[in-house]
Amino acid sequence: MTLESQLIQKTYYQMYINEHENLQPIRVLGDAYQEELQKDLPKLTSIRFAQGEIYFHNRDFEAAIFKWESIAGELELWARKNIADAYYESGLLSNAEDLYLSIDTNNLTLKTEVALQLFSLFIERGKLEAAVEIIKKTIDSNPDYPNVTTIARAYFEEQLDWENAIELAVNEAKRTGSLEWFDTVNAYVQKGITRDLNPNYFLQALFELYNIDQNMFEELTISLWNTYKSEDSYFTWLKEVNHLLLNLEISRNNHLRLLSDLHYETYFAMINGNYSIKTLEDLVPDLLTNWLHLSAPKHTVLVSAAVLSWNELFPTSISMSVVSEAENLISETECHINELEECVNLFNGIMGWAKVHDMGENNRLNWVVEQLTDFDTHHLFITGFSGSGKSAFVNTILGEEIQDSPTSSLVVFKDNEDLNIIEITDEETTSLNDFTHFQERMDRRRNALESIIEFQQPFPFLYEQKLALIETPGLNGSHQERYEVLQYLQIADTLLFVLDANAPFGDKEKTTLTQIHELAPDIPVHFLLNKMDTIVNEQEAIRIFEETCSRIHSYLPEAQVFAFSSHYERGQQLVDLKGFIQSINDERNIADKRLAKLLFFIRTTISRLLQKRIEVENQLIESVRWNEEVVMKLNGAVNQLKDAESQKAMAITRSYRVIKESLQNEISDSVPKILQECSELIKEDSNFSTIHVELNDVMNSRVQDYLEQEVMPKYYSALQEWISSGNDEFEQGREFLTEMAEGLNSLYGEQRIKIECDFKVLDDWRRDTDRLTSRFHLEKVNILLRNTPSQFLLKSAGKLFGALSQNKAMLYNKYKAFVKNDNYSEPTEEIIERFFQQFELFEKSLERDITMFFRQPLKILNEAIEESLSQITTKQDLLKKMNTNPEMFRDPLTLFEVRLRQFEWTTVAGKGVQTTIY
């Protein structure tokens, strides 16, 4: 054991007891101490140091400290460190820390041991930042010291201090080249705790790892790749790792199969239409170059095709040496991919992108692809001019009179266990309920060619021949009109052109066949010479048949001709027809032929979508214009509705006030008369001291009877008429709103605005008027008990002279005249006020009630305005985006074309290089 090891483990005392193993160490050291004292110049330092160790191991820390405090010379700093250890063990952490920090030494071992002790002490005292700082300094100064990095890693992981843990692992991996440290880095990456670090942080470590262990290099690279895939720094990672792989000069002999898989996945994810070409142009060339160099055998053709297709659309972006290598590989390597599956995946990718970007459902194209991938069915395309008897021929084959008139749409007949009729348009697929609906649909001419009808039911002939019949409308019309009819020609495996035996094969047929050949040069064309029964005799029929065959063969030497009439015996004709169909049914290379058709539809789809971008822009502009017009009309409708509401509120409340004022005037006229008539109750023998009280009661009673028996019924009747009049006003308002809604709905093209006014308001009015007019109680009014001067004098005189008989005549005349002649204006006003007081709340709520009647229509109109404004904002934002970033639509389609070209390259793999493929 070395001296430093003894000092670290506090076993320095062992050098004194090697020969005295049977004695207690403290006794041995005591004897040595006494022996040393006998010398002239005793050297006691080392013995005291050793004694301190014994005391320390026996936890007599005070004695140990006493021994070490007197140490000088070479062991002094170790002694001070040991004293600090004793303080630490005694729990005197502050003392220990101060003493550790006071030790200044150049001895790396001592320095490291002190640092490790401080590290533990800082943790115990909760000084975590100081602990991190001291352990990092220790690693920097002495990383190879036993367990230093292990201790640091364990602490960082325990504290979830991933930043320092990652830094330690990466630095140690680069410094030591240890696979264990690289494995630790990989574990951190897989935990997802490195995702926020800049991708170039790991590049040097990867570079060094490649030269150490390529399997580990592949594993770590894949882990990092997958981590950054969902981060904003993903493209930075791709750029950095591309440069790294280029510098490593990787080759296919490295067998980095998993990394090849990841390049495959990444490349196809990048060209799926979600990224702009500007984003990809600096990434894809290097990505493809690296993929070509490290590709697994299963990817050789794919990556070579990818390099060639990218180079075609973006020349000079890839090194010519790489392009040449790709050409050599693709010419020498056979393709082992499922071409049909890849082709369908490409088509589905385009359709998915189109749907997300509001390019429509494209149901007809999806239907076409379904037909082309049905290898169990032979598609016979039946066409010809109107009047040639196509429908009669089809009915004969099907065994039913299904087509009773010329078809206006493309109709496909298939065998199926049950009746199933569907109509396919770009926007939707609709089921036609029965044969009647099918016939009605066949009679429709408007936009007929924009849909496909698929008619399925049990058809024995089709089942036996594994056949589907595709019947077109007649080919009469212009070149463009014929193109509309023939747009699905590529679905056909074979074309059967129906001729009328009375005018079999002339210039118009040749012109049409030229157009067919231009659209689908590889589709075999054969002929059905129909209506043979109309020829006058058999000899003439044979002549016409032979002449027609001769003309056809001079134009199409391989074509076959079949003579037919729907009036011939069906059984024999079907037997002959079976032989004819079998002879024209060429199943050779059917997969390659269908694949070529799929590629045709994909290419035309890309072109169509490029054109559709312009249509989408125009649709957006039209949508904005239309919504702006709608908003203008809706705002006008809102203003009209508010005006109508104000007018109805004014009319209804005014009519109510007219009733009220009329009644007030009537009461004003009647009540004074009623009160004046009470003068008849005054007699000469009346008690004039109390007569004013008696008269006041009688007056109140008569007014109460008048109001309750005459006024209130009249008021009730008037209110019912007023409510009826209000109902008429509301009906007029509803009619106005209904007309307005019809105008708006004609603009929408649907019943978007539905007006529902709140007629419950009238029910509330009826209930309130019934309740308010059912009974009236007039609180007693002071009619003759007021303190007016005249009333005061009369009442005073009555009390003063009423007992004197000679004065009664005078009082009688005065009282009678007063009661009879007073105008009673004040009491009358008070009575009117009290009568109408209970109707005040009802009157005040009239305008609010009328507003409630119109509230729902106003809400509907405002919601429609908000919806249109939202549509305007959305469409304008999309237009702005389209105009600002035209590549948003163009780039994905360009990338789909890259994929298409790539697929076309794979079809020539192993057959020699072709520079151009059509």
Side-chain angles (χ1 to χ4, degrees):
M1 183 178 293
T2 64
L3 176 61
E4 281 192 342
S5 298
Q6 290 178 333
L7 294 173
I8 292 168
Q9 299 174 20
K10 294 184 179 63
T11 57
Y12 181 76
Y13 68 89
Q14 290 285 353
M15 62 185 295
Y16 288 99
I17 63 173
N18 287 336
E19 300 175 358
H20 308 284
E21 294 181 358
N22 296 327
L23 299 176
Q24 288 292 330
I26 196 65
R27 174 64 181 272
V28 175
L29 290 174
D31 290 344
Y33 188 84
Q34 292 300 323
E35 183 180 344
E36 188 66 26
L37 278 175
Q38 303 303 318
K39 296 180 180 179
D40 293 337
L41 294 173
K43 296 180 180 179
L44 302 174
T45 297
S46 59
I47 299 174
R48 288 185 178 132
F49 187 89
Q51 287 176 324
E53 289 178 336
I54 297 298
Y55 292 133
F56 182 89
H57 288 307
N58 287 278
R59 303 189 61 77
D60 187 352
F61 301 122
E62 186 177 354
I65 291 170
F66 174 76
K67 286 292 184 181
W68 285 327
E69 281 179 336
S70 60
I71 301 299
E74 294 179 357
L75 295 176
E76 179 181 357
L77 294 179
W78 281 100
R80 289 174 64 186
K81 184 263 182 188
N82 288 350
I83 292 171
D85 291 346
Y87 285 141
Y88 191 173
E89 293 295 326
S90 300
L92 302 173
L93 303 184
S94 178
N95 293 17
E97 180 180 343
D98 292 341
L99 194 52
Y100 283 136
L101 292 173
S102 69
I103 299 173
D104 184 13
T105 178
N106 293 324
N107 186 313
L108 189 56
T109 301
L110 175 58
K111 191 173 185 177
T112 303
E113 282 294 316
V114 169
L116 291 174
Q117 287 297 94
L118 276 171
F119 172 69
S120 300
L121 185 145
F122 285 150
I123 293 173
E124 194 164 339
R125 298 195 69 186
K127 296 183 176 182
L128 303 184
E129 291 184 4
V132 171
E133 183 181 356
I134 194 71
I135 196 65
K136 290 178 71 173
K137 285 183 178 179
T138 304
I139 293 170
D140 289 341
S141 62
N142 196 5
D144 290 321
Y145 195 78
N147 297 324
V148 165
T149 53
T150 303
I151 292 170
R153 174 190 166 190
Y155 175 73
F156 292 148
E157 290 180 354
E158 180 184 345
Q159 296 296 313
L160 304 181
D161 184 356
W162 300 118
E163 181 180 351
N164 282 314
I166 295 164
E167 180 183 17
L168 172 66
V170 172
N171 289 340
E172 285 301 293
K174 291 190 293 186
R175 187 182 69 84
T176 65
S178 167
L179 292 182
E180 182 180 351
W181 278 111
F182 279 110
D183 193 54
T184 301
V185 173
N186 192 34
Y188 290 158
V189 172
Q190 291 178 351
K191 281 184 178 180
I193 57 178
T194 64
R195 65 179 72 247
D196 294 330
L197 294 174
N198 194 302
N200 63 15
Y201 186 85
F202 299 96
L203 294 184
Q204 185 61 36
L206 286 171
F207 183 82
E208 295 178 11
L209 178 58
Y210 179 77
N211 296 316
I212 299 170
D213 188 309
Q214 291 183 5
N215 290 331
M216 177 64 76
F217 166 82
E218 182 180 35
E219 186 177 345
L220 180 55
T221 302
I222 290 172
S223 296
L224 286 165
W225 203 307
N226 290 329
T227 295
Y228 285 117
K229 190 179 294 183
S230 58
E231 301 300 316
D232 294 337
S233 55
Y234 181 48
F235 284 97
T236 302
W237 159 257
L238 290 176
K239 186 175 181 180
E240 297 288 355
V241 77
N242 275 335
H243 291 164
L244 173 66
L245 294 174
L246 286 172
N247 292 328
L248 290 176
E249 297 182 357
I250 295 175
S251 72
R252 284 180 292 279
N253 296 328
N254 294 112
H255 305 297
L256 300 175
R257 180 181 57 80
L258 297 177
L259 206 50
S260 178
D261 290 342
L262 194 52
H263 276 74
Y264 167 85
E265 176 188 327
T266 302
Y267 171 69
F268 280 99
M270 292 175 75
I271 63 169
N272 65 359
N274 292 329
Y275 303 106
S276 69
I277 290 174
K278 185 177 180 180
T279 301
L280 302 179
E281 60 186 359
D282 292 333
L283 290 173
V284 170
D286 288 344
L287 182 74
L288 290 177
T289 299
N290 288 323
W291 186 20
L292 185 71
H293 290 159
L294 59 79
S295 62
K298 65 178 180 179
H299 293 149
T300 300
V301 171
L302 275 176
V303 64
S304 299
V307 168
L308 295 173
S309 60
W310 187 269
N311 184 65
E312 284 180 2
L313 271 77
F314 307 100
T316 73
S317 61
I318 300 177
S319 167
M320 287 309 299
S321 62
V322 175
V323 174
S324 298
E325 183 180 355
E327 288 178 344
N328 292 333
L329 284 171
I330 206 166
S331 66
E332 299 167 357
T333 311
E334 292 185 3
C335 182
H336 299 290
I337 65 171
N338 187 325
E339 295 178 337
L340 181 65
E341 182 181 345
E342 290 293 330
C343 195
V344 171
N345 288 340
L346 173 57
F347 175 80
N348 290 337
I350 296 172
M351 290 296 98
W353 176 87
K355 184 175 182 179
V356 169
H357 289 82
D358 298 322
M359 294 289 191
E361 295 291 335
N362 297 289
N363 284 322
R364 287 188 293 174
L365 276 173
N366 285 313
W367 178 86
V368 166
V369 172
E370 288 179 10
Q371 309 315 303
L372 292 176
T373 53
D374 179 9
F375 289 96
D376 294 328
T377 303
H378 186 87
H379 297 94
L380 182 62
F381 199 86
I382 302 173
T383 191
F385 291 100
S386 298
S388 61
K390 290 188 286 79
S391 297
F393 169 67
V394 170
N395 289 336
T396 301
I397 290 181
L398 300 180
E400 295 184 39
E401 290 295 319
I402 291 178
Q403 295 280 59
D404 58 357
S405 62
T407 179
S408 58
S409 297
L410 191 79
V411 186
V412 181
F413 296 96
K414 290 184 175 182
D415 175 69
N416 192 53
E417 291 182 358
D418 303 307
L419 176 64
N420 184 30
I421 310 171
I422 56 175
E423 179 178 8
I424 302 106
T425 66
D426 273 345
E427 291 73 29
E428 61 182 351
T429 299
T430 309
S431 178
L432 302 180
N433 296 331
D434 51 34
F435 187 72
T436 303
H437 285 89
F438 168 74
Q439 290 180 319
E440 291 174 356
R441 172 61 187 79
M442 288 296 95
D443 293 335
R444 192 182 80 191
R445 293 293 181 267
R446 185 172 178 269
N447 299 326
L449 289 173
E450 293 181 5
S451 63
I452 299 167
I453 308 297
E454 186 173 301
F455 193 109
Q456 302 176 1
Q457 76 170 39
F459 292 124
F461 186 86
L462 300 186
Y463 172 77
E464 291 172 9
Q465 301 300 311
K466 296 182 178 179
L467 196 65
L469 301 183
I470 304 171
E471 183 185 0
T472 74
L475 293 175
N476 305 61
S478 66
H479 185 279
Q480 179 60 33
E481 289 172 330
R482 288 197 299 272
Y483 173 78
E484 292 296 324
V485 174
L486 296 170
Q487 61 181 310
Y488 298 107
L489 183 58
Q490 289 287 349
I491 303 173
D493 295 308
T494 304
L495 185 145
L496 186 63
F497 199 104
V498 180
L499 302 172
D500 185 347
N502 295 293
F505 194 77
D507 290 339
K508 68 176 182 178
E509 283 80 11
K510 291 180 181 180
T511 301
T512 303
L513 286 168
T514 299
Q515 185 176 1
I516 289 173
H517 182 74
E518 290 172 354
L519 292 172
D522 297 325
I523 293 178
V525 179
H526 302 282
F527 296 85
L528 183 88
L529 191 59
N530 201 5
K531 299 185 180 181
M532 293 297 290
D533 61 292
T534 61
I535 307 303
V536 293
N537 56 58
E538 183 178 352
Q539 186 176 358
E540 178 67 9
I542 293 172
R543 183 190 67 78
I544 291 175
F545 180 79
E546 290 177 348
E547 286 184 3
T548 302
C549 289
S550 176
R551 291 176 187 172
I552 289 172
H553 288 148
S554 66
Y555 193 75
L556 294 171
E558 302 297 326
Q560 297 187 42
V561 184
F562 183 79
F564 178 83
S565 173
S566 59
H567 296 285
Y568 289 170
E569 197 277 317
R570 180 174 182 269
Q572 183 56 47
Q573 275 206 125
L574 286 182
V575 173
D576 296 339
L577 191 59
K578 285 180 184 178
F580 174 70
I581 289 175
Q582 289 170 1
S583 68
I584 65 175
N585 187 351
D586 184 5
E587 295 294 336
R588 292 175 298 176
N589 301 319
I590 185 68
D592 290 341
K593 294 176 182 177
R594 293 281 183 92
L595 185 61
K597 296 175 189 294
L598 276 173
L599 292 174
F600 168 81
F601 275 108
I602 290 173
R603 187 167 293 283
T604 55
T605 299
I606 293 172
S607 300
R608 178 182 168 192
L609 290 175
L610 281 169
Q611 177 61 32
K612 202 165 187 177
R613 186 263 183 198
I614 300 173
E615 296 174 8
V616 167
E617 184 174 3
N618 292 334
Q619 289 170 2
L620 288 173
I621 293 171
E622 174 58 23
S623 177
V624 169
R625 185 205 63 75
W626 183 84
N627 276 291
E628 287 175 342
E629 181 182 349
V630 168
V631 168
M632 182 181 70
K633 291 185 179 296
L634 287 171
N635 281 324
V638 167
N639 292 331
Q640 288 179 319
L641 189 151
K642 290 181 177 178
D643 290 342
E645 180 184 325
S646 298
Q647 291 170 5
K648 298 304 176 188
M650 185 181 298
I652 292 172
T653 55
R654 183 170 60 238
S655 64
Y656 175 82
R657 292 192 181 102
V658 167
I659 295 171
K660 178 180 176 182
E661 289 170 1
S662 174
L663 212 57
Q664 285 175 330
N665 292 333
E666 183 179 332
I667 295 172
S668 295
D669 292 339
S670 299
V671 167
K673 292 177 181 178
I674 293 171
L675 298 179
Q676 289 168 354
E677 289 173 358
C678 289
S679 64
E680 299 173 356
L681 299 175
I682 303 173
K683 308 294 183 181
E684 287 187 12
D685 60 351
S686 298
N687 184 351
F688 291 101
S689 62
T690 60
I691 194 169
H692 60 283
V693 176
E694 296 170 2
L695 282 173
N696 192 75
D697 291 342
V698 172
M699 287 177 171
N700 273 280
S701 176
R702 288 188 177 184
V703 170
Q704 168 73 36
D705 292 343
Y706 164 71
L707 293 175
E708 190 169 7
Q709 295 173 15
E710 292 186 32
V711 176
M712 194 64 81
K714 188 179 294 185
Y715 193 23
Y716 174 78
S717 177
L719 287 175
Q720 297 310 305
E721 292 179 4
W722 170 78
I723 291 173
S724 177
S725 174
N727 183 66
D728 293 340
E729 293 284 350
F730 282 158
E731 286 291 350
Q732 292 174 7
R734 179 165 66 176
E735 289 176 6
F736 165 73
L737 293 176
T738 301
E739 290 178 4
M740 183 174 66
E742 288 176 356
L744 292 171
N745 286 332
S746 66
L747 188 63
Y748 277 102
E750 60 175 331
Q751 295 299 310
R752 170 66 178 78
I753 306 297
K754 297 179 181 178
I755 297 299
E756 294 181 4
C757 297
D758 190 2
F759 278 91
K760 290 182 180 178
V761 169
L762 295 171
D763 295 334
D764 294 341
W765 287 354
R766 292 188 184 96
R767 185 185 66 248
D768 290 344
T769 54
D770 286 348
R771 177 175 54 81
L772 293 171
T773 58
S774 62
R775 191 174 184 280
F776 173 72
H777 173 69
L778 178 67
E779 291 185 8
K780 187 175 287 187
V781 180
N782 291 331
I783 301 171
L784 294 178
L785 301 181
R786 296 172 181 271
N787 292 322
T788 62
S790 56
Q791 286 190 12
F792 179 75
L793 287 172
L794 280 175
K795 286 184 282 187
S796 299
K799 291 179 180 178
L800 182 62
F801 302 109
L804 302 175
S805 58
Q806 61 271 28
N807 294 320
K808 280 193 172 184
M810 179 190 67
L811 288 173
Y812 164 73
N813 292 326
K814 293 291 183 182
Y815 248 110
K816 195 172 186 70
F818 171 76
V819 172
K820 190 173 184 178
N821 297 321
D822 193 10
N823 61 15
Y824 298 103
S825 59
E826 290 185 10
T828 299
E829 290 177 2
E830 186 174 348
I831 288 167
I832 291 172
E833 181 182 352
R834 292 189 181 184
F835 180 81
F836 287 103
Q837 186 176 23
Q838 61 183 336
F839 294 95
E840 284 183 0
L841 187 60
F842 175 77
E843 183 179 355
K844 289 178 180 178
S845 66
L846 288 180
E847 290 190 7
R848 179 185 63 82
D849 291 344
I850 295 167
T851 299
M852 288 180 62
F853 177 82
F854 290 99
R855 182 174 60 184
Q856 187 63 18
L858 184 61
K859 180 183 177 184
I860 290 172
L861 291 175
N862 284 327
E863 287 176 350
I865 289 172
E866 289 298 321
E867 181 181 339
S868 285
L869 289 174
S870 175
Q871 285 290 320
I872 289 170
T873 301
T874 301
K875 304 297 184 186
Q876 285 178 335
D877 288 346
L878 191 53
L879 270 171
K880 183 178 180 181
K881 191 174 181 182
M882 287 176 67
N883 293 326
T884 305
N885 303 308
E887 65 275 5
M888 179 178 70
F889 284 87
R890 185 182 61 245
D891 286 2
L893 293 172
T894 302
L895 293 173
F896 285 130
E897 190 171 355
V898 169
R899 289 181 62 181
L900 176 61
R901 293 292 294 137
Q902 174 183 317
F903 183 78
E904 290 171 340
W905 272 107
T906 62
T907 61
V908 300
K911 303 171 185 177
V913 175
Q914 298 180 18
T915 56
T916 307
I917 304 172
Y918 296 98

